[in-house]
């Protein structure tokens, strides 16, 4: 399979599309990005690597980091995690509050904000120095000691984080947040602020294509069964109320972020990261979605 040729061809097609998306502005600092950025990077398990466009530029990975925090919490407390949150698609927006009242403060899944805030609470309970330890975990997975939070973006989100503050306090009222909401939110805003390039993102996530074994850190990050489960949640919940659409059009587990990044995983084959900051109305990268749809269609490779 000549991935290089396919990627080059699709990249040009999608680059020239009339992008109907808009850069996220509800976190003021996210606006400071060139909306025309567009990068792609693929890493295969058999050693092929290829990038095009702005694949070496760092961007805010935002909700993509929720997969990494889920991984660490899953490693630390195992199946007990599912006492605190579910694995059902929510069918609602990433920052929605509506289901929590009926569900007694148990978020539907770990990738909506409510679920990622509960995961943040679990990590604070189980890590000595939560922010430092989480960053060390991600650096180890990437074999890159330079990865970092963006203090600017975390602070910017904190200033306007009224919905997340509401979510955290509301969940706490049901007893499903154990720590001080201010501390939980500080951790959550920081984890969302981590910056990576498409290349780094694709490399960090390779363990999910490799049955939980990280080539970078040379350790089993997850068991085979856990890795299958994380991929399943990415497939069913990774794009909020557009998850069905992504599965239908792309056919791979994936996760998006409001910084415009998307990571997609083909178990036993590759990971591919795409970045284009303009988002569709569901909060997912307009060009990123289109690129991946064409990529699995042209390569005729997906999990289905
Ligand atoms: N930090 C963002 C928020 O909580 C993450 C959202 C996203 O990337 N979908 O709103």
């Amino acid at each position: 399979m000549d991935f290089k040729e396919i990627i080059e061809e699709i990249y040009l097609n999608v680059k020239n599309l009339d992008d109907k998306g808009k850069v996220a502005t509800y976190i003021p600092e996210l606006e400071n990005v060139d909306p025309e950025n567009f990068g792609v990077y693929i890493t295969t398990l058999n050693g092929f690597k290829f990038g095009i466009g702005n694949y070496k530029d760092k961007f805010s990975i935002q909700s993509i980091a929720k997969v990494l925090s889920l991984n660490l919490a899953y490693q630390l407390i195992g199946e007990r995690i599912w006492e605190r949150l579910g694995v059902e698609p929510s069918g609602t927006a990433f920052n929605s509050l509506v289901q929590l009242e009926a569900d007694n403060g148990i978020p539907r899944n770990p990738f909506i904000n409510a679920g990622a805030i509960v995961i943040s609470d679990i990590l604070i309970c189980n890590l000595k120095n939560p922010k430092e330890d989480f960053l060390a975990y991600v650096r180890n997975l990437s074999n890159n000691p330079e990865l970092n939070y963006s203090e600017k973006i975390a602070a910017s989100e904190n200033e306007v984080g009224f919905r997340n503050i509401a979510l955290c306090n509301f969940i706490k009222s049901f007893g499903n947040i154990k720590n001080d909401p201010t501390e939980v939110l500080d951790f959550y805003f920081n984890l969302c602020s981590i910056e990576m390039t498409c290349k780094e993102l694709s490399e960090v996530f390779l363990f999910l294509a490799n049955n939980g074994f990280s080539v970078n850190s040379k350790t089993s990050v997850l068991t085979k069964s856990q890795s299958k489960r994380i991929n399943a949640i990415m497939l069913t919940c990774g794009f909020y109320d557009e998850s069905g659409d992504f599965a239908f059009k792309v056919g791979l587990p994936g996760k998006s972020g409001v910084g415009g990044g998307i990571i997609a995983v083909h178990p036993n084959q590759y990971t591919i990261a795409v970045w284009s900051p303009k988002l569709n109305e569901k909060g997912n990268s307009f060009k990123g979605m289109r690129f991946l749809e064409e990529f699995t269609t042209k390569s005729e490779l997906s999990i289905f």
Side-chain angles (χ1 to χ4, degrees):
M1 174 70 54
D2 193 346
F3 283 141
K4 180 173 179 287
E5 201 175 299
I6 295 178
I7 289 172
E8 281 172 339
E9 184 191 330
I10 303 172
Y11 182 86
L12 278 183
N13 288 345
V14 175
K15 194 176 170 56
N16 294 325
L17 279 181
D18 175 23
D19 192 336
K20 304 252 187 318
K22 291 195 173 67
V23 173
T25 54
Y26 76 99
I27 302 174
E29 199 57 41
L30 285 184
E31 264 186 278
N32 297 332
V33 67
D34 179 350
E36 298 312 317
N37 278 310
F38 184 28
V40 179
Y41 196 87
I42 188 169
T43 312
T44 74
L45 284 177
N46 63 18
F48 176 77
K49 292 163 184 271
F50 177 68
I52 191 164
N54 304 92
Y55 71 92
K56 288 184 194 155
D57 294 345
K58 284 199 188 287
F59 61 92
S60 186
I61 71 167
Q62 289 295 321
S63 283
I64 300 174
K66 293 171 179 171
V67 183
L68 302 173
S69 55
L70 170 66
N71 270 292
L72 182 54
Y74 204 13
Q75 260 183 287
L76 290 169
I77 71 164
E79 301 307 317
R80 281 190 295 133
I81 206 170
W82 310 122
E83 293 163 13
R84 305 274 305 270
L85 72 167
V87 293
E88 287 301 334
S90 68
T92 57
F94 65 90
N95 55 4
S96 174
L97 285 114
V98 290
Q99 289 159 340
L100 283 170
E101 174 92 310
D103 294 347
N104 293 315
I106 304 289
R108 290 275 166 106
N109 69 65
F111 295 154
I112 48 174
N113 288 9
I117 288 171
V118 168
I119 295 286
S120 298
D121 187 59
I122 294 173
L123 288 178
I124 292 172
C125 287
N126 288 279
L127 296 172
K128 243 194 189 143
N129 303 300
K131 277 200 267 184
E132 291 80 354
D133 296 352
F134 180 70
L135 191 59
Y137 174 76
V138 178
R139 285 176 173 173
N140 189 38
L141 276 183
S142 70
N143 204 9
N144 178 354
E146 318 248 290
L147 290 185
N148 222 331
Y149 300 123
S150 159
E151 280 177 30
K152 253 190 181 173
I153 290 178
S156 175
E157 184 163 10
N158 191 27
E159 271 171 37
V160 294
F162 304 110
R163 279 190 88 86
N164 286 322
I165 295 166
L167 277 168
C168 191
N169 281 286
F170 195 43
I171 301 170
K172 185 152 178 95
S173 77
F174 292 98
N176 198 19
I177 292 286
K178 313 295 175 195
N179 297 283
D180 173 9
T182 311
E183 189 185 355
V184 177
L185 289 162
D186 178 60
F187 181 81
Y188 171 74
F189 294 145
N190 271 280
L191 88 92
C192 289
S193 81
I194 291 183
E195 294 181 315
M196 287 190 203
T197 65
C198 287
K199 180 174 187 292
E200 288 162 344
L201 202 53
S202 164
E203 288 169 353
V204 168
F205 274 77
L206 202 59
F207 71 95
L208 282 171
N210 198 22
N211 294 306
F213 185 83
S214 164
V215 181
N216 288 330
S217 68
K218 298 190 180 55
T219 51
S220 264
V221 183
L222 297 173
T223 65
K224 210 169 169 178
S225 160
Q226 285 176 325
S227 174
K228 173 198 75 183
R229 290 180 163 192
I230 301 282
N231 273 298
I233 308 171
M234 289 171 80
L235 182 79
T236 52
C237 310
F239 297 81
Y240 321 110
D241 45 343
E242 203 174 18
S243 299
D245 216 51
F246 189 80
F248 181 74
K249 290 178 176 158
V250 179
L252 293 176
K255 183 77 202 80
S256 63
V258 290
I262 298 179
I263 181 75
V265 179
H266 193 313
N268 301 311
Q269 305 245 10
Y270 63 76
T271 55
I272 186 162
V274 185
W275 174 49
S276 166
K278 289 195 198 168
L279 311 177
N280 65 21
E281 67 288 354
K282 306 279 187 183
N284 301 315
S285 170
F286 177 89
K287 281 187 177 161
M289 301 285 279
R290 287 295 289 269
F291 178 90
L292 290 168
E293 177 181 356
E294 288 199 29
F295 181 66
T296 53
T297 305
K298 288 233 160 76
S299 65
E300 296 182 357
L301 279 175
S302 89
I303 62 167
F304 297 109

